[in-house]
């Protein structure tokens, strides 16, 4: 089976190689240990026999080293079943064997050399003549006089090697079965990773071509599930953003068309002449009002563009928040009066902050204007300050229509409008929040549908300056603003 290049082949190869190397090491170590165990068992059996026979033979040492009968007696006494016993002189010549065959060659293998040095040693190799793999174990024995003989036991290892070969083949077959299982498992594991990735890649490619309505289907786990969820969420957000953008384009087109239609209509009417001064004055007022409306829309779009491109520059200075809010109350007094709404500044504190007065005025104008817009007639809007560690907290609270939980989560999103029919670009609160963040502050909104909304703005106090509660640092009082 050929696996094409990719993650699947890498996973299969890595798993297979790791297990193969591990199995190879285990089997090699096992077989070497097993071979040593069998060989050591044979060796220890021969050595134990030699020691036992030698201890028993001590009282009956030979009296003549040249007596053939006594050599035969030694062979009979020391011989071991299934093992050939050879009696050698120190020169390595075979004097007698348990098999009765004469061996004319001189034996000088390592076991003989070690035996002459006083050690019991073994030698494993091919036996001359038969070609069999044998083990030879040698030890010296004395006849009681000056003569020393070497007892050399020679046993065949063919039977043991046959058993070791069968065990080796069995171990190899077990290893092959394990490798086959590992191969199947690794292919299954690779497929469980690669197939979802291929599916995700295919859907992602469709998303890259603009098909944001497609979704990644499948209950994937762990990182793959997170990746699929993230891509689906991204596509959902892109669809939502596109919808918001389309709604914004439609809304802004309408917002621009309405004042332009009024301006063009009255311009043509006034240009045709024949109207009394009063009608001309009304027309000019409408043109001026709609022009201001257009300027406001354009400025809002320009501000948003600057904020998105991080080009908004703040001109910071000392700002008295109480004076700022009183100025805003004056600016919006006429609009509030038309709905019978009272705007109240509830505290006498005069917190001083370091910021851009014009941009902060824009922030609170938008917040208070929204409070007026969504308040019931004859309602009340409360403005208040509170000191919180190194921040001043400004709260604008109305008791109007409120905002649902669903809309409250999105009301600060760009281009979002709770009611598109109310007009506007849907950028007011998005710009407001970004301007507050540029000042190092935060804006939070709390609302309950049908019971009103509270906008809470936290702005940092300048380090080393303490807000004064009884007046400005120079001792001057604020100019009292209207409460209605």
């Amino acid at each position: 089976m050929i696996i094409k290049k990719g993650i699947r082949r890498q996973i299969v190869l890595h798993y297979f190689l790791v297990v193969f190397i591990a199995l190879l090491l285990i089997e090699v170590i096992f077989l070497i240990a097993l071979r040593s165990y069998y060989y050591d068992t044979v060796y220890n059996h021969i050595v134990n026999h030699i020691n036992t026979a030698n201890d028993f033979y001590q009282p009956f040492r030979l009296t003549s080293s040249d007596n053939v009968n006594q050599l035969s007696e030694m062979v009979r006494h020391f011989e071991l079943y299934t093992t050939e016993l050879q009696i050698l002189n120190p020169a390595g010549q075979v004097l007698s064997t348990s098999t009765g065959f004469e061996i004319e060659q001189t034996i000088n293998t390592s076991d003989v050399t070690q035996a002459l040095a006083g050690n019991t040693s073994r030698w494993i190799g091919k036996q001359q003549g038969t070609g069999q793999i044998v083990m030879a174990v040698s030890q010296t024995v004395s006849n009681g006089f000056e003569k020393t003989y070497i007892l050399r036991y020679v046993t065949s290892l063919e039977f043991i090697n046959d058993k070791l070969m069968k065990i080796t083949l069995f171990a190899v077959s077990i290893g092959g079965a394990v490798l086959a299982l590992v191969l199947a498992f690794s292919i299954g594991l690779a497929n469980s990773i690669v197939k979802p990735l291929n599916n995700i890649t295919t859907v992602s490619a469709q998303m890259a071509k603009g098909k944001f309505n497609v979704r990644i289907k499948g209950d994937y786990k762990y990182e793959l599930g997170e990746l699929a969820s993230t891509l689906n969420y991204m596509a959902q957000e892109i669809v939502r953003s596109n919808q918001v953008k389309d709604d914004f384009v439609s809304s802004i087109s309408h917002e621009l068309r309405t004042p332009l239609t009024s301006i063009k209509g009255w311009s043509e009417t006034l240009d045709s002449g024949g109207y009394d001064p009063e009608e001309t004055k009304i027309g000019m007022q409408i043109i001026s009002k709609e022009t201001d409306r257009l300027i406001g829309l354009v400025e809002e779009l320009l501000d948003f563009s600057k904020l998105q491109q991080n080009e908004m520059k703040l001109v910071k200075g000392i700002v008295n928040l109480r004076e700022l809010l009183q100025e805003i109350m004056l600016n919006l007094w006429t609009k509030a009066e038309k709905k019978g709404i009272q705007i109240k500044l509830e505290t006498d504190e005069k917190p001083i902050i370091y910021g851009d007065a014009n941009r902060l005025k824009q922030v609170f104008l938008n917040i208070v204007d929204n409070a007026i817009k969504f308040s019931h007639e004859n309602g009340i809007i409360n403005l208040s300050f509170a000191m919180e560690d190194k921040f001043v907290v400004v709260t604008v609270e109305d008791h109007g229509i409120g905002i649902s939980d669903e809309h409250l989560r999105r009301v600060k999103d760009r281009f979002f409008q709770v009611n598109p029919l109310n007009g506007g670009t849907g950028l007011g609160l998005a710009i407001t929040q970004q301007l507050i963040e540029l000042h190092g502050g935060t804006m939070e909104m709390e609302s309950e549908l049908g019971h009103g909304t509270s906008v809470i703005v936290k702005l940092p106090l300048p380090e080393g300056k303490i807000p004064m509660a009884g007046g400005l640092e120079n001792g001057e009082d604020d100019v009292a603003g209207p409460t209605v």
Side-chain angles (χ1 to χ4, degrees), residues 141-178:
V141 64
S142 175
N143 69 340
F145 293 96
E146 73 280 2
K147 292 293 184 179
T148 298
Y149 297 98
I150 300 172
L151 300 178
R152 187 172 189 261
Y153 291 85
V154 180
T155 183
S156 174
L157 296 177
E158 293 294 325
F159 178 74
I160 291 176
N161 288 340
D162 286 343
K163 288 189 69 175
L164 288 174
M165 180 58 67
K166 290 178 181 178
I167 294 173
T168 300
L169 293 176
F170 180 74
V172 169
S173 62
I174 292 296
V178 171

Side-chain angles (χ1 to χ4, degrees), residues 274-288:
Y275 291 91
D276 58 38
E278 190 64 31
E279 289 180 337
T280 302
K281 182 179 179 181
I282 292 173
M284 292 302 295
Q285 288 176 345
I286 292 174
I287 291 174
S288 177

Side-chain angles (χ1 to χ4, degrees), residues 273-321:
Y275 291 91
D276 58 38
E278 190 64 31
E279 289 180 337
T280 302
K281 182 179 179 181
I282 292 173
M284 292 302 295
Q285 288 176 345
I286 292 174
I287 291 174
S288 177
K289 179 182 176 182
E290 296 299 332
T291 302
D292 289 339
R293 184 178 171 187
L294 282 174
I295 292 172
L297 288 172
V298 172
E299 287 181 347
E300 196 170 64
L301 292 173
L302 288 174
D303 285 344
F304 178 74
S305 177
K306 288 179 181 179
L307 288 168
Q308 291 299 107
Q309 299 176 24
N310 295 320
E311 294 179 355
M312 179 68 74
K313 304 298 181 184
L314 299 181
V315 181
K316 290 189 175 182
I318 298 298
V319 180
N320 185 314
L321 277 182

Side-chain angles (χ1 to χ4, degrees), residues 51-63:
N51 293 333
T52 301
N54 195 32
D55 291 341
F56 182 76
Y57 181 70
Q58 288 292 335
F60 309 101
R61 293 295 182 185
L62 298 178
T63 58

Side-chain angles (χ1 to χ4, degrees), residues 1-21 178-195:
M1 180 179 61
I2 299 176
I3 304 176
K4 65 179 182 178
K5 289 184 178 180
I7 296 178
R8 181 187 285 109
R9 187 162 79 172
Q10 291 297 317
I11 293 174
V12 172
L13 285 178
H14 280 84
Y15 266 90
F16 187 82
L17 285 175
V18 168
V19 175
F20 173 76
I21 293 172
V178 171
L179 287 176
L181 288 174
V182 169
L183 183 62
F185 172 78
S186 60
I187 291 175
L189 177 64
N191 287 335
S192 69
I193 296 174
V194 173
K195 285 184 178 180

Side-chain angles (χ1 to χ4, degrees), residues 97-355:
T97 67
S98 61
T99 60
F101 295 105
E102 294 185 3
I103 301 175
E104 297 181 354
Q105 67 191 46
T106 300
I107 299 173
N108 55 4
T109 54
S110 61
D111 61 302
V112 175
T113 305
Q114 291 292 324
L116 289 172
N119 301 319
T120 302
S121 180
R122 67 180 175 184
W123 171 83
I124 297 173
K126 285 187 178 181
Q127 188 178 39
Q128 291 185 0
T130 63
Q132 286 186 341
I133 302 296
V134 297
M135 177 188 293
V137 180
S138 298
Q139 186 177 12
T140 58
V141 64
S142 175
N143 69 340
F145 293 96
E146 73 280 2
K147 292 293 184 179
T148 298
Y149 297 98
I150 300 172
L151 300 178
R152 187 172 189 261
Y153 291 85
V154 180
T155 183
S156 174
L157 296 177
E158 293 294 325
F159 178 74
I160 291 176
N161 288 340
D162 286 343
K163 288 189 69 175
L164 288 174
M165 180 58 67
K166 290 178 181 178
I167 294 173
T168 300
L169 293 176
F170 180 74
V172 169
S173 62
I174 292 296
V178 171
L179 287 176
L181 288 174
V182 169
L183 183 62
F185 172 78
S186 60
I187 291 175
L189 177 64
N191 287 335
S192 69
I193 296 174
V194 173
K195 285 184 178 180
L197 281 177
N198 289 337
N199 183 28
I200 291 171
T201 302
T202 301
V203 176
S204 299
Q206 293 179 333
M207 290 180 181
K209 294 179 181 179
K211 298 180 180 179
F212 299 114
N213 59 327
V214 296
R215 293 291 181 271
I216 299 171
K217 298 179 180 179
D219 185 17
Y220 303 135
K221 296 181 179 179
Y222 311 119
E223 286 82 357
L224 288 175
E226 293 177 5
L227 177 60
S229 298
T230 301
L231 288 173
N232 286 338
Y233 177 75
M234 180 192 71
Q236 180 181 343
E237 288 299 301
I238 290 174
V239 170
R240 191 179 69 82
S241 297
N242 286 339
Q243 183 61 46
V244 169
K245 180 188 69 176
D246 293 340
D247 292 343
F248 167 72
V249 171
S250 175
S251 175
I252 200 67
S253 298
H254 175 76
E255 291 295 315
L256 292 172
R257 185 186 298 113
T258 301
L260 287 174
T261 300
S262 298
I263 293 171
K264 181 176 176 59
W266 276 102
S267 297
E268 291 177 349
T269 300
L270 295 175
D271 186 57
S272 63
Y275 291 91
D276 58 38
E278 190 64 31
E279 289 180 337
T280 302
K281 182 179 179 181
I282 292 173
M284 292 302 295
Q285 288 176 345
I286 292 174
I287 291 174
S288 177
K289 179 182 176 182
E290 296 299 332
T291 302
D292 289 339
R293 184 178 171 187
L294 282 174
I295 292 172
L297 288 172
V298 172
E299 287 181 347
E300 196 170 64
L301 292 173
L302 288 174
D303 285 344
F304 178 74
S305 177
K306 288 179 181 179
L307 288 168
Q308 291 299 107
Q309 299 176 24
N310 295 320
E311 294 179 355
M312 179 68 74
K313 304 298 181 184
L314 299 181
V315 181
K316 290 189 175 182
I318 298 298
V319 180
N320 185 314
L321 277 182
R322 183 177 180 83
E323 289 181 352
L324 183 71
L325 290 181
Q326 286 179 333
E327 185 179 347
I328 290 169
M329 292 166 65
L330 286 171
N331 291 339
L332 296 175
W333 179 77
T334 303
K335 185 172 183 178
E337 186 183 36
K338 289 180 180 178
K339 294 182 70 173
I341 294 173
Q342 297 182 53
I343 304 176
K344 294 184 176 181
L345 187 56
E346 295 183 331
T347 58
D348 295 328
E349 293 193 40
K350 302 173 182 179
I352 306 297
I353 67 168
Y354 188 69

